[in-house]
Structure formats: structure tokens, C-alpha cells
């Protein structure tokens, strides 16, 4: 099932979850043609934010992606506090919630290299092109490195056009 | 994006400056026309386009699995 990107974003946005959109959706927001099948978010690891995030997601039956159906799993604030990065599947689609982003760091670091973008009338923090390039380079997997030429071309094109879109 | 900006973008991707990241991406096989196309869209339109592509590819993947 392809994720419902807009609904997933809105449920966290409406709940005022402090987060930065990263990964493939951020790439698309910046102009990339990359197709992704999940939504990646970097969330702030404060107690209040984790509670807001878990409460918002609860109705959508989050469970660990790729884990056996019968594996006991409860996505709540205690679980999130004990962990860091979660790859989940939900009734709205696949979702990765990251407490830290490779090459960037925590939410506070991601915030420093993010910008506001409007999606379906709501504003979200989205990782900048520079941040995406930094993260992809640091992650270093083949699929990350394959994305670099396109992202660097996008940055080059935007710069040569005076930063305009 | 104004018409003049669009023309500049088209000129840049048609003949990327030597040694530039644009030239490197073109050499790597990136379709630079898609980038110009996307830069003309709003962020909402870009995410709608992604949604549509992801749904289409999921359907293709599903139908391939069914035929195996």
C-alpha cells in the first residue's frame, strides 16, 4: 500500500508534533523526482512531544515493519523513550520515525538545516537540500549515493537561477 | 517561475556548464528535464505527484506479484 503522505503529515501537524520531514518526501518537496514508499520524520525527543506523537498515531495501528504479526508491540511513550529510530507500518502506510538522522544528528540539528514548506495548506519543516545532501552522503548506502547526483544538480540549478524556484 | 527563469533553466540543462554538478548529473543519467518540471510546481503539487507515482508503482508491483 502506498502511504497517504498528506494524511500522515497532517495527523502529526494537527497534533503539533515537533518534527522535520526528511528522506524521500523531503527530496520531492525540494524538487526531486525520486519515488518513495514511506514517510520519514525526525522527531524531537522531549517527553511531551513523544506523547503527542504516540497519541496522534495510535488510531492507525502502528506496528514494527517486517516483524511477525504475532510479535507483541506497543507503540507508546515508554517504547519510544527506550528506543530511538522506528520503522513502522500503519493503516495510512509505512512510516519511519527517527530520533537521529545520520550525518545530521538530532531534531535540533535537523531544525537548523530545515525550512518551512506548505503542503495542502499546512506548514511543515522540511530538510533543506544542503541537509539532504549531507545526510545522503553520510548514510553512504548505494541508494543514498545514487540520489546524490540529482540532489546536487538541483542545488546547482537553483543557485544558478538565483535561488529561485 | 517566470518565462525568463524557465528559459534560463532549459538553457542550463541543455548545455550544463563544464565541470558543474548539472553536467555531472546529466553524465550520470539524471533526467534534468524532470527537475525543471518539478521546480515549476508548488510543494503541494510536488507531493501530489509523488503520491500519484507511488500509488501507480504499488499497483504495478501488486499485479506483478499476482502473476507469479
Amino acid at each position: 500500500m502506498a502511504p497517504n503522505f498528506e494524511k500522515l503529515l497532517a495527523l502529526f501537524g494537527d497534533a503539533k508534533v515537533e518534527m522535520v520531514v526528511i528522506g524521500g518526501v523531503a527530496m520531492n518537496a525540494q524538487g526531486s523526482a525520486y519515488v518513495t514508499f514511506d514517510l520519514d520524520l525526525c522527531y524531537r525527543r522531549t517527553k511531551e512531544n513523544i506523547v503527542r506523537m504516540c497519541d496522534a498515531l495510535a488510531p492507525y495501528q502502528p506496528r514494527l515493519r517486517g516483524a511477525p504479526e504475532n510479535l507483541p508491540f506497543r507503540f507508546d511513550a515508554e517504547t519510544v523513550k527506550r528506543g530511538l529510530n522506528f520503522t513502522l507500518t500503519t493503516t495510512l502506510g509505512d512510516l519511519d520515525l527517527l530520533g537521529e538522522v545520520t550525518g545530521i544528528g538530532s531534531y535540533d540539528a535537523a531544525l537548523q538545516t530545515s525550512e518551512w514548506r506548505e503542503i495542502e495548506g499546512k506548514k511543515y519543516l522540511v530538510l533543506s537540500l544542503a541537509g539532504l545532501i549531507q545526510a545522503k552522503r553520510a548514510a553512504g548506502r548505494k541508494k543514498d549515493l545514487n540520489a546524490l547526483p540529482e540532489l546536487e544538480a538541483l542545488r546547482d540549478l537553483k543557485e544558478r537561477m538565483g535561488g529561485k524556484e | 517561475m517566470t518565462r525568463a527563469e524557465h528559459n534560463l533553466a532549459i538553457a542550463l540543462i541543455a548545455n550544463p556548464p563544464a565541470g558543474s554538478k548539472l553536467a555531472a548529473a546529466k553524465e550520470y543519467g539524471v533526467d534534468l528535464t524532470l527537475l525543471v518540471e518539478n521546480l515549476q510546481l508548488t510543494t503541494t503539487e510536488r507531493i501530489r505527484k509523488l503520491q500519484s507515482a507511488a500509488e501507480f508503482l504499488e499497483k504495478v508491483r501488486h499485479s506483478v506479484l499476482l502473476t507469479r
Side-chain angles (χ1 to χ4, degrees):
Chain A
M1 179 183 87
N4 189 324
F5 295 113
E6 192 254 324
K7 272 195 180 173
L8 276 167
L9 284 169
L11 83 92
F12 291 122
D14 292 348
K16 303 205 182 312
V17 174
E18 292 169 283
M19 62 185 191
V20 175
V21 181
I22 60 172
V25 174
M27 287 172 63
N28 276 265
Q30 298 293 357
S32 162
Y34 180 85
V35 179
T36 185
F37 297 92
D38 64 10
L39 173 66
D40 301 331
L41 300 172
C42 177
Y43 66 95
R44 191 176 192 197
R45 281 183 63 79
T46 59
K47 186 181 171 187
E48 301 75 17
N49 196 51
I50 289 172
V51 168
R52 280 196 293 269
M53 182 172 80
C54 292
D55 288 351
L57 197 56
Y60 303 98
Q61 301 163 36
R63 53 191 173 83
L64 290 173
R65 196 153 77 233
E69 292 262 347
N70 57 357
L71 185 78
F73 176 72
R74 190 183 167 113
F75 188 74
D76 59 14
E78 278 308 308
T79 301
V80 174
K81 272 196 287 184
R82 281 198 298 269
L84 182 67
N85 296 341
F86 297 86
T87 55
L88 304 172
T89 189
T90 76
T91 55
L92 290 178
D94 291 348
L95 172 70
D96 292 356
L97 296 171
L98 308 182
E100 275 187 20
V101 186
T102 305
I104 302 285
S106 66
Y107 167 85
D108 288 335
L111 186 63
Q112 296 303 310
T113 182
S114 66
E115 53 202 37
W116 289 101
R117 291 277 176 165
E118 191 172 308
I119 300 168
E120 302 293 355
K122 296 178 180 182
K123 290 194 171 176
Y124 302 95
L125 281 165
V126 173
L127 201 62
S128 66
L129 261 180
L132 285 165
I133 290 168
Q134 196 177 324
K136 292 288 176 194
R137 193 169 284 144
R141 296 169 302 179
K142 195 174 178 186
K143 74 167 195 169
D144 298 304
L145 298 177
N146 279 341
L148 275 175
E150 188 205 33
L151 292 173
E152 287 175 331
L154 255 178
R155 182 164 65 172
D156 192 8
L157 186 59
K158 283 188 186 182
E159 283 172 0
R160 288 176 193 277
M161 292 173 65
K164 293 200 172 181
E165 288 190 11
Chain B
M1 191 185 281
T2 64
R3 181 176 289 271
E5 287 162 353
H6 181 252
N7 289 343
L8 172 61
I10 294 295
L12 280 166
I13 65 165
N15 293 296
S20 68
K21 296 291 186 186
L22 278 170
K26 191 170 186 175
E27 177 68 25
Y28 190 76
V30 175
D31 185 345
L32 299 176
T33 63
L34 293 177
L35 305 188
V36 175
E37 192 179 291
N38 286 349
L39 290 181
Q40 293 177 88
L41 304 176
T42 65
T43 307
T44 293
E45 289 167 336
R46 292 173 195 169
I47 301 304
R48 285 181 188 164
K49 191 175 165 188
L50 165 64
Q51 184 76 54
S52 172
E55 285 171 8
F56 172 73
L57 290 173
E58 273 290 345
K59 278 181 193 164
V60 171
R61 190 155 68 176
H62 186 65
S63 63
V64 167
L65 285 174
L66 285 177
T67 57
R68 280 186 181 168

